[in-house]
Amino acid sequence: MSLADKYPQEVKKILAKYPPEQKRSAVMPLLYLAQRENGFITKAALEDIAQMLEISSTNVAEIVGFYTLYHDSREGKYRLQVCTDLPCALRGADRFLEQLCGNLGIQVGQTTADGVITLEAVTCLAGCDRAPLFQVPGVDEYRPFFLVQIHRLL
Ligand code: FES
């Protein structure tokens, strides 16, 4: 079933934001919608979006590959993304990441055996003034339980 079949109102609303000749600009919100269902973008959803926007699936895949907020495979329930760009590296990101690997018993790119955490190294998270920085997409507010869990990792 296509994205437009599953979520007709949302797809219509997204596409209405762009002039028809610029509908390719809707790729990011459509990817976000596709990812909401499974936590990652399936190959079928990628093809569906490409067809809907009349662009190549390679173009859509490039966007998925470039932005760390999009995922092309199912991983852990939470993705712990540690920035390793220069400002964060200068403030100890590599050491932080190494400690996380040791405490979690996994390497970067791997998921814990319980399927809860996937550890990723990412580029600038746009918070260089607070370096070193990490984020957990989908957790957009401070929750005591989550903070306790994070503190156990450190
Ligand atoms: S370099 Fe890490 S947030 Fe910018």
Side-chain angles (χ1 to χ4, degrees):
M1 184 180 278
S2 75
L3 213 51
D5 291 334
K6 285 185 206 168
Y7 309 104
Q9 295 305 319
E10 288 176 82
V11 168
K12 190 175 174 184
K13 191 173 170 185
I14 290 169
L15 291 175
K17 292 180 181 175
Y18 307 94
E21 69 277 7
Q22 297 291 328
K23 66 180 177 180
R24 65 180 299 137
S25 300
V27 67
M28 293 182 73
L30 288 173
L31 283 170
Y32 187 77
L33 179 62
Q35 185 167 273
R36 191 177 68 190
E37 187 169 320
N38 299 311
F40 70 104
I41 296 156
T42 63
K43 183 132 179 69
L46 192 144
E47 297 287 343
D48 182 30
I49 290 169
Q51 190 173 9
M52 194 182 325
L53 301 179
E54 299 175 14
I55 58 179
S56 75
S57 55
T58 302
N59 289 150
V60 181
E62 287 170 349
I63 291 168
V64 172
F66 182 79
Y67 291 101
T68 55
L69 74 158
Y70 298 123
H71 314 295
D72 61 3
S73 61
R74 183 183 306 281
E75 299 293 346
K77 181 174 182 184
Y78 298 107
R79 289 171 184 264
L80 197 54
Q81 298 180 326
V82 179
C83 173
T84 55
D85 255 354
L86 186 60
C88 286
L90 291 173
R91 300 281 316 261
D94 291 344
R95 194 170 30 117
F96 175 66
L97 192 56
E98 192 178 306
Q99 286 179 334
L100 280 174
C101 287
N103 291 346
L104 292 169
I106 58 174
Q107 295 300 309
V108 173
Q110 294 181 332
T111 301
T112 54
D114 59 6
V116 174
I117 295 174
T118 297
L119 187 57
E120 298 176 331
V122 297
T123 53
C124 186
L125 295 172
C128 312
D129 60 316
R130 291 172 283 160
L133 204 69
F134 74 92
Q135 70 176 4
V136 183
V139 177
D140 54 6
E141 61 185 81
Y142 291 109
R143 296 178 187 162
F145 171 76
F146 186 75
L147 289 176
V148 167
Q149 297 305 310
I150 290 295
H151 283 288
R152 284 186 189 157
L153 302 175
L154 305 177

